[in-house]
């Protein structure tokens, strides 16, 4: 029952994010005459030139990918992506019936040109990051990327996506009256969106891994568990210079705890340590009570 409720929550969240992105387009993209990245960027320029609503064009641009690659990318990924695309398209069509122009952010009145693509990029990156973390996507080349990676995991489509985004920025120069501002705004949108989505997917799960070689393994382990409330792992090691048996202590800490860890390590001057960044952690240790860690450290 709990799993079913969680599944419905994910689908509702994806639908809400699609509406949020459609609202960002209406308030920050369309009023400022620039194209976002990806397939929707191309469709936005077609809308600008031929006055065909993006709601129809988004469906036209994304549905062929979903139909062709549905089985290759899996039913869950395809279904959630289809939900996002359909809700995004319908929301764009419905918003035409509301007077959103007075709420739109226009740059023609002397306000900053970059704020429109920055805000739209923030919303896009947030929507993309959350949707991808819940097993779907916002459409476009993500469908193609998922299909190719399923069949050829060794391939990297970063350059393909980059080339498409770069072509959108170049084409926008000609579409929007031979001006450089739309090109710059497109690039700003792309950068902000990718940074936010990257942080959503990786930044929230980052950690620092300390690996320490010390002769005082018991004392250091007890101090870490008692003072920093982190578990530790100890594995046997051998120094190849002296061929002496050593112990290697491994501990993951939050990035904000690096200074505290260094201060604690200074209490063991004979230790050697190095630190590396972990881009993602799996597992949840919140259920381990601090008093249990302290008890184990005694």
């Amino acid at each position: 029952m709990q799993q079913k409720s969680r599944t419905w929550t994910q689908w509702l969240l994806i639908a809400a994010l699609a509406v949020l992105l459609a609202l960002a387009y209406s308030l920050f993209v369309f009023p400022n005459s620039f194209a976002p990245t990806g397939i929707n960027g191309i469709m936005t320029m077609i809308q600008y030139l031929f006055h065909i609503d993006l709601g129809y064009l988004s469906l036209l641009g994304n549905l062929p990918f979903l139909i062709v690659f549905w089985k290759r990318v899996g039913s869950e990924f395809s279904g959630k992506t289809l939900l996002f695309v359909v809700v995004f398209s319908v929301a764009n069509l419905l918003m035409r019936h509301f007077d959103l122009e007075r709420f739109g952010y226009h740059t023609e009145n002397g306000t900053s040109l970059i704020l429109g693509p920055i805000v739209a990029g923030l919303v896009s990156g947030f929507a993309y990051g959350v949707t991808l973390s819940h097993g779907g996507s916002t459409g476009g080349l993500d469908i193609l990327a998922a299909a190719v990676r399923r069949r050829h995991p060794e391939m990297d489509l970063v350059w393909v996506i980059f080339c498409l985004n770069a072509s959108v920025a170049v084409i926008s120069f000609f579409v929007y009256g031979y001006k450089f501002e739309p090109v710059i705004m497109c690039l700003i949108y792309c950068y902000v969106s990718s940074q936010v989505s990257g942080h959503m997917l990786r930044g929230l799960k980052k950690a620092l891994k300390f690996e320490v070689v010390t002769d005082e393994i018991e004392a250091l382990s007890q101090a870490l568990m008692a003072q920093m409330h982190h578990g530790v792992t100890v594995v046997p090691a051998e120094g190849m210079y002296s061929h002496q048996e050593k112990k290697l202590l491994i501990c993951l800490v939050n990035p904000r705890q690096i200074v505290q860890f260094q201060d604690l390590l200074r209490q063991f001057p004979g230790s050697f340590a190095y630190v590396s960044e972990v881009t993602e952690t799996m597992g949840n240790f919140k259920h381990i009570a601090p008093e249990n860690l302290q008890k184990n450290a005694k």
Side-chain angles (χ1 to χ4, degrees):
M1 185 69 181
Q2 185 178 1
Q3 180 66 27
K4 187 176 181 180
S5 176
R6 181 183 176 187
T7 301
W8 277 106
T9 301
Q10 289 180 348
W11 287 75
L12 290 173
L13 177 60
I14 291 173
L17 291 170
V19 175
L20 179 63
L21 185 60
L23 183 62
Y25 271 57
S26 295
L27 297 181
F28 300 102
V29 176
F30 301 152
N32 298 302
S33 299
F34 76 94
T37 55
I39 289 180
N40 279 338
I42 297 175
M43 299 307 171
T44 300
M45 288 188 287
I46 295 176
Q47 173 183 267
Y48 179 82
L49 290 173
F50 302 105
H51 306 289
I52 304 174
D53 198 287
L54 179 64
Y56 300 115
L57 294 171
S58 180
L59 282 175
L60 184 64
N62 285 286
L63 285 182
F65 283 104
L66 282 169
I67 294 173
V68 173
F69 297 114
W70 185 283
K71 290 184 178 180
R72 293 187 183 180
V73 300
S75 58
E76 182 180 358
F77 179 87
S78 299
K80 290 179 178 179
T81 302
L82 178 62
L83 173 67
F84 189 99
V85 170
V86 170
V87 173
F88 175 78
S89 300
V90 172
N92 268 289
L93 293 172
L94 292 177
M95 286 177 187
R96 296 298 184 185
H97 299 285
F98 297 93
D99 184 18
L100 297 177
E101 186 175 352
R102 58 177 178 169
F103 300 107
Y105 181 84
H106 296 270
T107 58
E108 296 176 355
N109 57 4
T111 53
S112 175
L113 282 172
I114 67 172
L115 292 183
I118 286 178
V119 176
L122 286 171
V123 175
S124 173
F126 175 76
Y128 178 78
V130 175
T131 303
L132 204 63
S133 66
H134 285 81
S137 80
T138 58
L141 277 186
D142 294 334
I143 306 169
L144 177 62
V148 173
R149 284 170 185 163
R150 287 286 181 95
R151 191 157 187 168
H152 302 284
E154 74 281 0
M155 292 188 64
D156 188 357
L157 293 185
V158 172
W159 282 106
V160 176
I161 297 175
F162 171 79
C163 290
L164 177 63
N165 292 336
S167 64
V168 171
V170 172
I171 295 172
S172 66
F173 172 80
F174 303 97
V175 172
Y176 295 103
Y178 301 95
K179 297 178 181 178
F180 283 104
E181 286 83 357
V183 178
I184 298 172
M185 295 166 77
C186 177
L187 295 175
I188 292 174
Y189 176 95
C190 178
Y191 176 78
V192 174
S193 178
S194 62
Q195 289 296 313
V196 172
S197 60
H199 184 75
M200 292 291 299
L201 294 171
R202 298 184 301 272
L204 297 179
K205 295 184 179 181
K206 279 186 178 180
L208 295 176
K209 180 176 72 172
F210 278 91
E211 295 180 278
V212 186
V213 177
T214 179
D215 294 326
E216 301 179 75
I217 197 73
E218 291 295 333
L220 179 56
S221 298
Q222 292 174 9
L224 286 170
M225 290 188 290
Q227 298 181 32
M228 300 189 65
H229 309 301
H230 279 290
V232 298
T233 301
V234 177
V235 296
E238 180 181 351
M240 293 305 295
Y241 180 77
S242 60
H243 291 284
Q244 293 182 353
E245 291 187 359
K246 298 284 185 178
K247 295 291 181 67
L248 178 68
L249 181 149
I250 303 172
C251 182
L252 293 181
V253 303
N254 299 323
R256 64 178 181 273
Q257 293 181 303
I258 184 171
V259 175
Q260 183 182 359
F261 193 102
Q262 290 172 336
D263 291 341
L264 181 61
L265 199 60
R266 290 190 183 95
Q267 301 174 23
F268 302 88
S271 303
F272 169 78
Y274 57 91
V275 60
S276 58
E277 187 178 86
V278 177
T279 58
E280 183 175 1
T281 57
M282 301 178 188
N284 186 352
F285 304 97
K286 292 181 180 179
H287 299 294
I288 301 178
E291 55 267 22
N292 292 336
L293 284 172
Q294 293 175 355
K295 186 185 300 183
N296 293 333
K298 292 180 181 179

